[in-house]
Amino acid sequence: MIWKIFMHEVSMVFLGMGSGCCGVMAILKLKSDVMDVVEWELMSLNSSTIVFTLVFDWVSLLFLSFVLLISSSVLFYSGSYMLGDKTFNRFMYLVLAFVFSMGMMVLSPNMISILLGWDGLGLVSYALVIYYQNEKSANAGMLTVLSNRVGDVAILLSIGLMSNLGGWNFLFYSLYMGDEWLGLKILLVLAAMTKSAQIPFSAWLPAAMAAPTPVSALVHSSTLVTAGVYLMIRFSPALDGSQAQSSLLIISCLTMFMAGLGANFEYDFKKIIALSTLSQLGVMLSILALGYPELAFFHLLSHALFKALLFMCAGVVIHSVGDYQDIRQMGGLVSFMPLSMMYMTIANLALCGFPFLAGFYSKDLILEVAFMSWVNFVALLLYVLATGLTVMYTARLIYYSASGEFNLSSSSNVSDTDQVMVNSMTMLGLGAVFGGAILSWLVFPEPYMICLSGFMKSLVLAISFLGGVIGYMFNMMSSVYSLKSLTNYEFVVMAGSMWFMPFLSTLKNSELSLVSGSMAQKVGDKGWLEYMGGQGIYYLFSKGFVALNHFQMNSIKVYMKVFVVSVIVVLFLYI
């Protein structure tokens, strides 16, 4: 019992110490510009050596530092959030296994050893999504694990293709892969798309909200969904100028727009934040596809801080209001939970790219570099629309939860007096405020040269302001015209369901096989095969044996009938 009480505190201390050590080592590696590689040769097969490899450079160590920092805050937070859970120890072990798998994946530049962490993430994520054992969680877990399995198969096929190189360390070979390795590049982009939930694999990310909120905070900030982005960052030298890169650009831009549009029609608190994660993953992969992996890495780290904070605030709110997740049943919470609402507003403003918060340094730089690049008009338009939609759903979320009218039936339990949750949020709150500036000093000691016209320079600010105003106006209209969306019902259903992605990923994906299988069973197994097969043969033999039995009973009546029939047949033959 004592171990159950203190397990979250012990985990926080050890993971926090590990985060500090990795952070210091990352700064030293960044300053000295060196890389340490540890290899353990397992076996040699046809001149290809199967080795277990770990790489310690500033990229892997800095990312691992952020993973451990967020994990320590989330585990400490879980000590209060999951306090009444009977299987709390199992939950903690699963989360620690999740963090260990992510660490294996981050430190591995080798496709053989990266598969251990990659598959470990998929397996443990399934166990965490089905943690609340009900039908909804089981369906969400199955959708999650099967969607990620496509990426696992792509990794396995890429391992087979890379055996032609004589090794699987992509840090050695990614610089020398030309157009003849297009199949390998497509497989790796496919693996990254499944893990980072890009179109058409987007349905599993909102469905994975069936997991406990601390798991969602960890998954959406620094572990499962970022694994695909991290793999693409490591593999980015091989993608330069390839067709896989241009395909990734348009898919990620469409995902960014689709998620932003869907979040404006969603009412589930956690699913809105999940769709915002999907939108930011599209931002990361799109700027990576334009040829700026260091910018994608910068946004990956800064996004992890405020997104984990946003999920923690969502967990506190859901916990306090009686496990409601519908934002229409909240409202006016700033009067009852001022501290939590303050942290949530900071995280939301950082998500929008509010000046001098964590998201501003990375997101504003990404948008300006994208505007300055040789990007086509469609991608440019999707960037602009996605930026406006981000501010729209953020204003909508703040209006429905923090401000507006109080919609709960009782306010007796609505407070943020839980010190464990507040303390764990404070650490990430400081990161959401100062993390972007510190990271920009570390990762970009020399500033980017941005050369844009006055219109393009002010476009991001204007679109953000316009998105916020439109989002707030729509919220004000909803109190007067509550059924206005029914006039455009088809569009609302399409936009609110992520362009029918959940339907296409579940029933429609298997409808042909299910319908044809049912028809084959009715016509075949229960139809002609039954008539001509087992049942038919049984009926034929049973009737035949009854007739044969009559012949063997020495009945004079049977003999006389046979004699008469034989005489008639003989007469007919001779006539």
Side-chain angles (χ1 to χ4, degrees), residues 27 75 85 126-127 140 172 176 183 216 231 388 390 424 442 444 459 463 465 520-521 551 559 571 574:
I27 294 172
L75 286 172
D85 193 76
Y126 175 71
F172 295 162
Y176 310 107
S216 302
L231 179 66
T390 300
S424 58
L442 281 176
F444 301 113
L459 182 61
I463 287 294
F465 179 75
Q521 184 189 26
F551 278 107
Y559 288 145
L571 289 175
Y574 280 99

Side-chain angles (χ1 to χ4, degrees), residues 292-359:
Y292 299 94
E294 61 278 358
L295 279 181
F297 184 63
F298 182 27
H299 191 52
L300 179 65
L301 296 180
S302 62
H303 170 263
L305 293 170
F306 60 79
K307 188 48 63 73
L309 175 63
L310 192 54
F311 265 109
M312 285 184 176
C313 295
V316 173
V317 171
I318 293 168
H319 216 54
S320 298
V321 301
D323 295 332
Y324 287 118
Q325 291 185 204
D326 194 324
I327 58 175
R328 292 170 293 186
Q329 296 180 348
M330 300 176 188
L333 294 179
V334 70
S335 303
F336 302 94
M337 312 174 66
L339 201 57
S340 298
M341 287 297 106
M342 180 191 73
Y343 284 132
M344 194 177 91
T345 306
I346 289 173
N348 276 319
L349 291 176
L351 174 66
C352 295
F354 191 82
F356 310 116
L357 294 180

Side-chain angles (χ1 to χ4, degrees), residues 81 129 134-137 139-141 143-144 197 202-213 216-217 220 225 255-256 258-281 303 307 310-315 317-318 323-328 330 344 348 351 389-390 393-394 396-397 495-498 501-503 506:
Y81 190 89
V129 170
N134 51 50
E135 186 178 357
K136 179 185 175 184
S137 298
N139 292 337
L143 177 59
T144 300
S202 305
W204 72 263
L205 194 63
M209 291 296 97
T213 303
S216 302
H220 287 256
V225 296
T255 306
M256 181 170 55
M258 179 265 295
L261 189 63
N264 280 284
F265 291 92
E266 184 61 61
Y267 287 101
D268 190 306
F269 200 165
K270 288 176 68 176
K271 284 188 178 180
I272 292 173
I273 308 175
L275 289 169
S276 77
T277 302
L278 188 55
S279 178
Q280 298 308 305
L281 290 169
H303 170 263
K307 188 48 63 73
L310 192 54
F311 265 109
M312 285 184 176
C313 295
V317 171
I318 293 168
D323 295 332
Y324 287 118
Q325 291 185 204
D326 194 324
I327 58 175
R328 292 170 293 186
M330 300 176 188
M344 194 177 91
N348 276 319
L351 174 66
L389 289 169
T390 300
Y393 66 70
T394 303
R396 178 171 175 265
L397 185 61
S497 64
M498 300 169 61
M501 207 69 65
F503 310 114
T506 51

Side-chain angles (χ1 to χ4, degrees), residues 384-403:
V384 172
L385 290 175
T387 304
L389 289 169
T390 300
V391 186
M392 278 182 65
Y393 66 70
T394 303
R396 178 171 175 265
L397 185 61
I398 293 174
Y399 174 82
Y400 271 106
S401 58
S403 62

Side-chain angles (χ1 to χ4, degrees), residues 463-531:
I463 287 294
S464 300
F465 179 75
L466 187 64
V469 170
I470 293 174
Y472 195 77
M473 286 174 61
F474 279 170
N475 296 328
M476 298 299 291
M477 286 172 59
S478 66
S479 60
V480 182
Y481 302 105
S482 56
L483 299 178
K484 192 70 175 174
S485 60
L486 292 180
T487 57
N488 298 309
Y489 183 71
E490 291 81 6
F491 172 74
V492 170
V493 170
M494 187 272 292
S497 64
M498 300 169 61
W499 298 353
F500 307 117
M501 207 69 65
F503 310 114
L504 295 172
S505 299
T506 51
L507 181 62
K508 287 296 179 183
N509 194 23
S510 55
E511 185 178 21
L512 180 62
S513 58
L514 289 174
V515 170
S516 58
S518 176
M519 186 64 68
Q521 184 189 26
K522 289 178 182 177
V523 175
D525 290 354
K526 294 183 177 180
W528 285 104
L529 285 178
E530 201 68 69
Y531 181 74

